[in-house]
Amino acid sequence: MGVYMYKFRIDKLELNTIDGVIDFEPRRINVVIGPNNSGKSRFLKELRDWLSGDKTDIKIINQIEYSYPESYQEVEESYNVKNKMTKDMYGNWILRTYLNKSNQPWDVNTTFESYFTRSLNSVAPEWEDFFKNIVREKNEISFFQYFGPLFFRYLGTEERLTICKMQKNYGLDSTNTNYLTSFKFEDKVLQELSANVKRIFKKDIILDTQTLGDRLGFRVGEDFGYLRGTFEQEKEGVLQLFLSNFISDF
């Protein structure tokens, strides 16, 4: 018998439709189909908001039934919370996650940088006790505010821009983060991305965190294997990448 590992899942959604309230039980892959302006994007954004602890503008979703952990320890073991805890420049503990939910509306005065930058919530010094209390008391809002970003990723029409644009390169001690910074240390994810791009497009892709100063962004080329070796190999690879970009600018 295998060891039980907690995994967040949505068991049932209660939704408002033009035909009344319906129950929907999601499967592993779900496709939302409908004409323009029928509420597809709104439904997905409401789902994102609910699972991030924000129910201020929910109209389609009435209720969500989901798996809940027996204890904080289950969340820790399944989602490796401890390794995502860092101290900011002021010595405060923060849970380093990223949520694709903007802190502000998009308008003519909004910069790309500010729209996709997120401020991370600081946590009490006794953060393990703090998280244990959230789970034990079944405080749904706090549960999703802190742990929600561990359970899902949302990529909408606006968020697609974050993939191809350079963004500010925030350090581990910063209270800010953005889409690219959020997974620059996720080596396994980036390796899988590279492998899939090679398989489909016969090209390589790498997240350049070294040659762009305080920025970071994706680069596409034939092969970036020289950047994925030992420290000395990587140092030589970064120099090679920098020089190739420098020369190509002239």
Side-chain angles (χ1 to χ4, degrees):
M1 184 175 179
V3 178
Y4 169 77
M5 291 285 287
Y6 169 74
K7 184 176 182 180
F8 178 82
R9 70 178 182 278
I10 296 174
D11 295 321
K12 183 185 292 186
L13 293 163
E14 185 179 287
L15 307 174
N16 293 315
T17 73
I18 58 175
D19 298 319
V21 178
I22 65 169
D23 290 338
F24 171 65
E25 296 182 5
R27 303 198 177 192
R28 184 174 181 181
I29 297 177
N30 302 273
V31 181
V32 182
I33 301 174
N36 291 338
N37 299 316
S38 61
K40 301 186 301 298
S41 295
R42 181 180 180 89
F43 163 65
L44 294 175
K45 288 179 179 178
E46 285 193 12
L47 189 58
R48 174 202 63 187
D49 292 354
W50 188 299
L51 298 182
S52 60
D54 181 7
K55 300 182 184 179
T56 56
D57 190 27
I58 302 294
K59 300 185 183 302
I60 297 176
I61 300 175
N62 274 343
Q63 192 56 257
I64 299 178
E65 294 182 13
Y66 55 89
S67 59
Y68 194 83
E70 293 291 330
S71 66
Y72 163 71
Q73 189 62 31
E74 290 187 353
V75 181
E76 163 61 38
E77 291 174 354
S78 296
Y79 295 96
N80 208 8
V81 176
K82 187 176 295 185
N83 283 355
K84 295 179 175 65
M85 296 298 299
T86 61
K87 280 189 176 181
D88 64 19
M89 62 185 72
Y90 306 107
N92 301 310
W93 284 103
I94 51 178
L95 175 57
R96 188 158 292 280
T97 57
Y98 181 77
L99 176 65
N100 274 350
K101 176 177 170 56
S102 179
N103 300 325
Q104 58 180 302
W106 182 275
D107 57 37
V108 294
N109 298 315
T110 304
T111 65
F112 178 88
E113 191 69 55
S114 63
Y115 184 76
F116 291 109
T117 296
R118 305 289 181 268
S119 296
L120 296 167
N121 294 326
S122 60
V123 188
E126 299 79 16
W127 56 267
E128 285 188 286
D129 291 335
F130 177 73
F131 288 155
K132 287 176 183 177
N133 286 334
I134 289 176
V135 176
R136 182 168 54 248
E137 295 172 2
K138 296 188 176 181
N139 186 327
E140 182 179 84
I141 298 298
S142 295
F143 177 75
F144 282 132
Q145 283 178 341
Y146 284 98
F147 301 130
L150 299 173
F151 303 148
F152 73 96
R153 286 291 181 268
Y154 174 86
L155 188 64
T157 304
E158 301 93 340
E159 286 74 20
R160 294 175 194 171
L161 296 173
T162 63
I163 296 177
C164 58
K165 296 284 187 179
M166 287 191 295
Q167 297 180 22
K168 187 172 178 60
N169 191 353
Y170 290 108
L172 284 174
D173 64 345
S174 174
T175 56
N176 290 329
T177 189
N178 53 36
Y179 187 77
L180 295 183
T181 297
S182 68
F183 63 89
K184 69 177 180 178
F185 299 111
E186 299 288 342
D187 292 339
K188 183 178 179 181
V189 174
L190 294 172
Q191 288 169 5
E192 290 179 356
L193 174 63
S194 171
N196 287 329
V197 169
K198 284 181 178 179
R199 177 173 56 84
I200 298 172
F201 300 106
K202 312 304 180 188
K203 295 286 185 179
D204 197 2
I205 189 169
I206 194 168
L207 184 62
D208 184 0
T209 63
Q210 303 292 332
T211 71
L212 301 173
D214 66 344
R215 317 291 290 173
L216 73 167
F218 280 112
R219 294 194 183 278
V220 176
E222 296 301 322
D223 187 4
F224 294 112
Y226 58 87
L227 289 172
R228 301 187 180 99
T230 64
F231 174 76
E232 289 300 323
Q233 290 172 326
E234 183 173 334
K235 186 169 65 174
E236 289 297 319
V238 169
L239 179 60
Q240 180 179 334
L241 180 63
F242 176 77
L243 290 176
S244 66
N245 293 329
F246 179 77
I247 293 172
S248 65
D249 289 338
F250 291 90

